[in-house]
Amino acid sequence: MQIDPTPPARAETRQPSLLKQRILVLLAHPSIDRSEVNRPLAVATGQVPGVTLVDLYAEYPTFQIDIDREQGRLADHDVIVFMHPLYWYSTPAILKEWQDLVLEHGFAYGRTGTALRGKLLFNALTAGGSEAAYRAEGYNHYTIRELLHPIEQTAMLCGMIYLPPFALFAARTAVEEGRVDGHVRDWIRLLEALRDGRCDLDAARRAPTLSHHLDLIIKPG
Amino acid sequence: MDSILFETFTYLCAAVIAVPIAQRLGLGSVLGYLIAGIVIGPLFGLVGAETETIRHVAEFGVVLMLFLVGLELQPQSLWAMRGRLLGLGGLQVLVSAALIAAAGLAIGLDWRLALAIGLIFSLSSTAIVLQTLSEKGLTKTDGGRASFSVLLFQDIAVIPMLALIPLLALPELSGETVNGHLPAAAGHGEAAHPASMSLVAGLPSWAHALVVLGAVSAVLLGGYFLSRPLFRFIADSRLREIFTASALLLVVGIALLMTLVDLSPALGTFLAGVVLANSEFRTELESDIEPFKGLLLGLFFITVGAGIDFGVLSADLVLILALTAGVILVKGLVLFALAGWFRLKPGDRWLFTLALAPAGEFGFVLLSFGQQNAVIAPELAKTLSLVVALSMLLTPALFLLYERLVLPRLRGGDEREPDQIEQPGTVIIAGVGRFGQIVNRMLLASSVRTVVLDHEAAILDMLRQLGIKAYYGDASRPDLLQAAGIAEASVFVVAIDDRERAVQMVEYVRRNYPHVQIIARAFDVNHLYLLKQAGADVAVRELFDTSTRVGSEVLRRLGLHPFKVEKMEQAFRRHDAAGLAKLYEVWDEHPDIARNRAYLARAREHGETLKEMMETDRLQLHDRSERGWTPPPKGYTDELGD
């Protein structure tokens, strides 16, 4: 099982288009064929015009990440999304590897590292625990936003605008409870709004998650 | 001699012209042969009386075909179709024969004659139907399988029919026929063998049964136990024509044995085929017998066309057309009803009905046999054999009807097949020496279906003992690749020892089966380029990976950190891959590396960049192999706080 990546001809050539924001979704799921939520999410993502989907585990099965290619992709897009299941309150290993390799000094940060300035970054993640668990009184003790602070701080150091996550909680029972389709629909709605510049970024930055406050974030239009 | 050459020339010429045209027009090869026969026979009168004799020889093509059909059929699957074989086949023959006989009685025929005619017309054409099914890729459909069950049953049913017909002799005809003409071999190729050659003539029935049983078990046991060592012995001689000769010898021998005990040769060779279906020599046998079968069957179809007597036809045109239509209609109704009863889907039901409704070549055999035994008057036999020929001529036309009229309508219908789970296709591995074996093991462990070909009988023997499906044969031969199923394969792995043949194989498969992905093992860079040029999707040098692993092992033993060694190995591989791509451009202009100056110059140049890279690496720790884990410059934090 492999998620069809966006054909390079369409996605990776810069062309003057009417689309306001180009979106790059980096998918990291080490066993996509067993995935119940990330797979439909990724498949739907690949079909949105103006959105580039990269399946990192498919492209770099031995973790030999091509730094130049990845930096080129970052330069070509305005919105960067890490799409992944939450593994130990963080990303799967390949996304960490990707950060370690691609966000180089002199490219992403440092005096001359300005390539990512002003771009948006956020996580589209699925979490096993329910939302109640991600609270001070829950068994995870921290909110999802708090747990993602390392990524938020990474974004800040690179001069990027960090947004709260687009999250699905209690993901292991989402199929049984019929919550996947609605989640995918919301995701496409958000992607299209981001692409067409119909998002209130200030409202988005203040929200605890993107997924639960779409009506607040997306401007009518 | 002259006349033989002339006849051969005429037949070949007719086939060569008519068949490709028919194929191009979408009529199928069988109709092409039949039309060729009509043209050289009744239309232009180029061939004459000898067609009858030739037909008996050509009927051997049907025997060969059933052998091939048997080879494709594992004993298990034969057992699995027993219900249809007996139920569908038995009912088809009984009900069709009864209805046609009843119609005969209704128009006032003697009951004996009516019964004989019913039996004759209940049969269908194994040759035309099987050939057309496989040509149109319908063999594996449910309708195709059901048709095959019925045809097989008919082949068996001919034997009791031949026993029954002499009992139906009409007293008023008895005087005219040659008495004492014993029943010769049943089934196809019957008249080709003199009646005197029989082991069972004059034996009491219990002894007869014993001899028949003995012959069948000889075929089964011999096929199972003797054929393998025999074929291995012959295969080791590496003489291809001797293998072909022994394959033919096997089929002819079984046909002869069956004839001697009054059994159908087609049935005997079919059983032998089933017994050999699991053997490693299956594909080789298939590709050896295939051309003979094709030519003989073609010849057979031509003789059917040539045998149509336009004189008799035009004299009794209305009667013959009406009889033909009647036979097809009655049998069609029976078949359609049976297909419904046995729960065939609508599309398969139509295929089954249209394929089997016309009469078949057994009809000729039974007609001439009935004539000899004073059951059917010669004049009537002539008319009836025209009905058989005409309805056979219509078989391919009915297939066209199915394709053009039935299929399109069904597709538009509301009945939709459930989506099938996508299964990875077959992988063919040519050459299972030390290299191919590992590839095969890994694929099998991942539940991928593989077909393995090699010309070392000893290796194959060992593989088969390990339970691996492996077939004997020179994998560079196109026909063998075809028999192994290259047309349906997803990936083709070339792992043979012979460099040139490997390249030829890649070329051949790329040209003829563009959808198959080719992965080839290369011996060195030059071979890799040749394979790439020939059209391999991926060519891998057999020693490169292991060599770099040894290189890394040495570096680790020298005390370098394992992860650093890993990064160096990756850098080395990247550099090498880039070099391969760069050098290919110059190589392509002049493939003889030793004399290609541009190539040598560029190779030297690229070699130096490698050294440079490694040296830089050692001094500054800052090249591609280290990049990404290179620490930021000292004091970089000063500029971060803003």
Side-chain angles (χ1 to χ4, degrees):
Chain A
M1 164 76 218
Q2 203 170 317
I3 304 290
D4 287 336
T6 315
R10 195 182 77 204
E12 296 193 12
T13 50
R14 252 176 193 265
Q15 35 183 271
S17 70
L18 300 168
L19 308 171
K20 294 187 176 148
Q21 301 281 300
R22 293 152 303 169
I23 305 176
L24 173 67
V25 178
L26 298 169
L27 167 69
H29 196 304
S31 56
I32 194 74
D33 48 348
R34 273 192 263 162
S35 155
E36 292 176 343
V37 182
N38 278 281
R39 187 170 63 191
L41 219 46
V43 169
T45 305
Q47 286 157 3
V48 181
V51 177
T52 308
L53 175 71
V54 174
D55 180 348
L56 286 176
Y57 275 104
E59 202 153 323
Y60 307 112
T62 56
F63 279 52
Q64 307 292 322
I65 291 172
D66 184 333
I67 298 170
D68 289 332
R69 186 199 287 163
E70 292 305 314
Q71 290 183 348
R73 278 177 174 154
L74 288 176
D76 282 346
H77 293 84
D78 309 300
V79 181
I80 316 299
V81 184
F82 291 171
M83 179 182 277
H84 59 93
L86 194 68
Y87 278 12
W88 286 116
Y89 312 108
S90 181
T91 67
I94 203 165
L95 252 176
K96 181 63 165 67
E97 186 91 345
W98 181 94
Q99 295 167 42
D100 295 350
L101 289 165
V102 181
L103 304 180
E104 279 182 319
H105 182 261
F107 170 80
Y109 70 104
R111 199 155 31 80
T112 54
T114 58
L116 303 178
R117 290 260 159 100
K119 295 183 192 287
L120 297 183
L121 176 73
F122 68 95
N123 301 65
L125 58 84
T126 56
S130 67
E131 195 173 9
Y134 289 91
R135 288 179 198 163
E137 60 277 17
Y139 63 81
N140 281 322
H141 296 114
Y142 301 96
T143 67
I144 192 76
R145 183 78 198 253
E146 286 168 337
L147 290 167
L148 292 171
H149 275 161
I151 297 176
E152 179 167 358
Q153 175 51 29
T154 303
M156 276 167 67
L157 197 69
C158 297
M160 301 172 87
I161 301 162
Y162 185 76
L163 300 182
F166 182 87
L168 181 73
F169 294 99
R172 285 300 285 156
T173 50
V175 170
E176 288 76 4
E177 292 161 15
R179 288 185 281 124
V180 176
D181 288 349
H183 186 68
V184 172
R185 266 198 306 279
D186 284 351
W187 172 242
I188 299 307
R189 201 178 142 213
L190 175 65
L191 272 185
E192 289 174 346
L194 279 169
R195 178 194 65 190
D196 302 337
R198 287 188 282 108
C199 279
D200 180 346
L201 293 183
D202 288 330
R205 289 170 81 163
R206 282 192 306 270
T209 63
L210 295 180
S211 33
H212 298 64
H213 305 85
L214 284 182
D215 290 333
L216 215 74
I217 295 161
I218 298 173
K219 296 178 212 161
Chain B
M1 185 66 196
D2 284 353
S3 76
I4 290 178
L5 279 180
F6 176 72
E7 276 164 21
T8 314
F9 180 78
T10 315
Y11 280 103
L12 286 176
C13 203
V16 166
I17 294 170
V19 175
I21 293 178
Q23 193 74 288
R24 181 66 58 87
L25 294 176
L27 304 176
S29 71
V30 177
L31 205 52
Y33 282 118
L34 292 169
I35 292 169
I38 294 177
V39 171
I40 59 170
L43 218 56
F44 289 123
L46 293 172
V47 292
E50 81 286 352
T51 51
E52 193 77 359
T53 329
I54 293 177
R55 178 151 80 215
H56 292 310
V57 178
E59 269 171 7
F60 196 67
V62 182
V63 174
L64 292 178
M65 180 170 69
L66 273 151
F67 179 65
L68 292 175
V69 169
L71 277 180
E72 288 284 341
L73 202 71
Q74 317 268 324
Q76 306 82 284
S77 26
L78 180 62
W79 182 243
M81 56 186 259
R82 65 192 185 277
R84 277 189 174 177
L85 188 71
L86 295 178
L88 205 52
L91 283 173
Q92 188 277 134
V93 172
L94 282 180
V95 178
S96 305
L99 282 182
I100 294 169
L105 279 180
I107 58 166
L109 295 181
D110 186 285
W111 69 271
R112 284 166 287 202
L113 180 58
L115 182 56
I117 293 175
L119 291 176
I120 288 166
F121 285 126
S122 68
L123 303 172
S124 318
S125 174
T126 309
I128 296 182
V129 174
L130 286 191
Q131 177 75 13
T132 314
L133 281 177
S134 85
E135 210 170 278
K136 298 192 184 295
L138 295 168
T139 318
K140 300 260 160 77
T141 63
D142 205 35
R145 284 178 211 271
S147 307
F148 175 70
S149 315
V150 171
L151 290 170
L152 195 61
F153 180 84
Q154 292 179 355
D155 278 12
I156 301 168
V158 171
I159 301 155
M161 285 186 195
L162 284 163
L164 184 65
I165 283 179
L167 305 179
L168 300 176
L170 295 173
E172 65 268 30
L173 284 177
S174 308
E176 301 169 24
T177 49
V178 194
N179 277 323
H181 194 109
L182 283 168
H188 296 293
E190 170 244 3
H193 306 284
S196 57
M197 277 178 60
S198 174
L199 286 177
V200 286
L203 284 181
S205 56
W206 61 269
H208 186 151
L210 263 179
V211 173
V212 168
L213 212 64
V216 172
S217 20
V219 170
L220 295 182
L221 295 176
Y224 196 77
F225 292 108
L226 284 180
S227 67
R228 300 266 285 275
L230 184 72
F231 279 131
R232 255 197 80 177
F233 173 72
I234 296 162
D236 283 339
S237 77
R238 295 280 173 95
L239 293 168
R240 198 181 152 209
E241 66 280 9
I242 290 301
F243 197 94
T244 310
S246 60
L248 276 178
L249 176 71
L250 175 85
V251 180
V252 174
I254 290 167
L256 182 65
L257 179 67
M258 290 296 116
T259 308
L260 290 178
V261 297
D262 285 3
L263 275 185
S264 151
L267 183 69
T269 50
F270 171 75
L271 284 179
V274 174
V275 172
L276 288 169
N278 278 325
S279 143
E280 64 265 49
F281 297 102
R282 192 195 88 199
T283 48
E284 175 79 19
L285 284 170
E286 259 177 31
S287 53
D288 278 347
I289 298 284
E290 183 73 40
F292 292 99
K293 175 216 104 179
L295 277 178
L296 283 175
L297 264 191
L299 188 60
F300 172 71
F301 296 140
I302 292 184
T303 59
V304 171
I308 292 181
D309 189 335
F310 270 66
V312 179
L313 181 63
S314 54
D316 283 326
L317 186 65
V318 179
L319 175 69
I320 289 172
L321 287 182
L323 281 177
T324 310
V327 165
I328 293 179
L329 202 67
V330 170
K331 280 177 75 184
L333 286 174
V334 172
L335 287 161
F336 199 75
L338 282 175
W341 197 33
F342 277 76
R343 299 221 177 83
L344 264 66
K345 287 199 212 71
D348 293 311
R349 202 179 301 171
W350 277 107
L351 174 66
F352 177 75
T353 303
L354 293 174
L356 298 178
E361 61 274 7
F362 281 116
F364 296 124
V365 178
L366 291 184
L367 271 172
S368 64
F369 192 60
Q371 207 180 327
Q372 288 157 18
N373 286 282
V375 183
I376 302 168
E379 277 314 304
L380 183 60
K382 224 171 216 172
T383 312
L384 292 181
S385 84
L386 263 178
V387 174
V388 172
L390 209 60
S391 81
M392 280 170 80
L393 193 66
L394 283 174
T395 313
L398 290 177
F399 268 103
L400 283 180
L401 197 69
Y402 168 77
E403 265 186 342
R404 303 269 160 90
L405 283 181
V406 179
L407 268 188
R409 260 178 220 201
L410 281 174
R411 271 195 206 114
D414 50 1
E415 186 164 327
R416 234 196 98 205
E417 294 280 309
D419 286 346
Q420 291 207 325
I421 300 157
E422 215 177 296
Q423 265 195 336
T426 321
V427 175
I428 298 180
I429 303 175
V432 274
R434 294 182 303 164
F435 195 93
Q437 254 178 59
I438 297 171
V439 177
N440 187 45
R441 261 172 49 205
M442 184 167 162
L443 292 177
L444 287 179
S446 320
S447 322
V448 174
R449 276 175 299 140
T450 61
V451 177
V452 164
L453 302 169
D454 205 294
H455 58 73
E456 285 294 346
I459 290 183
L460 290 178
D461 220 36
M462 194 186 72
L463 287 179
R464 289 184 83 88
Q465 277 172 15
L466 294 171
I468 293 170
K469 283 219 154 170
Y471 298 104
Y472 167 81
D474 178 353
S476 64
R477 268 172 41 212
D479 46 350
L480 194 75
L481 279 177
Q482 221 173 339
I486 186 83
E488 289 90 39
S490 300
V491 181
F492 178 53
V493 179
V494 184
I496 57 167
D497 284 332
D498 189 318
R499 296 178 183 220
E500 271 123 64
R501 278 199 179 168
V503 175
Q504 287 162 10
M505 227 187 243
V506 171
E507 242 165 35
Y508 171 79
V509 174
R510 177 48 70 238
R511 195 170 53 239
N512 295 287
Y513 306 97
H515 66 278
V516 179
Q517 304 191 63
I518 306 172
I519 301 180
R521 158 233 215 163
F523 284 81
D524 48 33
V525 175
N526 204 39
H527 194 224
L528 180 130
Y529 286 159
L530 287 169
L531 289 165
K532 276 263 174 204
Q533 198 181 36
D537 293 290
V538 179
V540 181
R541 278 166 296 167
E542 57 173 359
L543 294 177
F544 186 77
D545 287 73
T546 25
S547 308
T548 57
R549 286 192 56 191
V550 170
S552 293
E553 186 60 40
V554 172
L555 289 174
R556 279 193 293 273
R557 301 267 159 175
L558 289 174
L560 272 73
H561 188 283
F563 191 59
K564 176 165 175 61
V565 173
E566 175 65 26
K567 284 180 282 179
M568 289 168 82
E569 185 182 330
Q570 295 304 334
F572 179 79
R573 284 164 159 280
R574 267 197 301 274
H575 182 268
D576 182 83
L580 271 182
K582 219 158 60 172
L583 289 170
Y584 183 67
E585 295 158 21
V586 260
W587 172 88
D588 210 18
E589 289 156 21
H590 190 37
D592 184 358
I593 290 182
R595 293 196 195 150
N596 185 335
R597 290 202 180 166
Y599 180 94
L600 292 173
R602 205 181 274 196
R604 252 195 316 276
E605 191 185 298
H606 189 72
E608 271 154 26
T609 62
L610 174 67
K611 221 167 157 194
E612 224 171 75
M613 184 186 89
M614 292 298 202
E615 270 162 14
T616 330
D617 178 38
R618 240 177 288 145
L619 294 172
Q620 300 176 357
L621 283 174
H622 198 94
D623 78 306
R624 279 189 62 91
S625 72
E626 273 291 333
R627 190 180 165 196
W629 288 277
T630 313
K634 305 241 182 223
Y636 79 107
T637 48
D638 301 344
E639 55 191 57
L640 291 180
D642 38 48

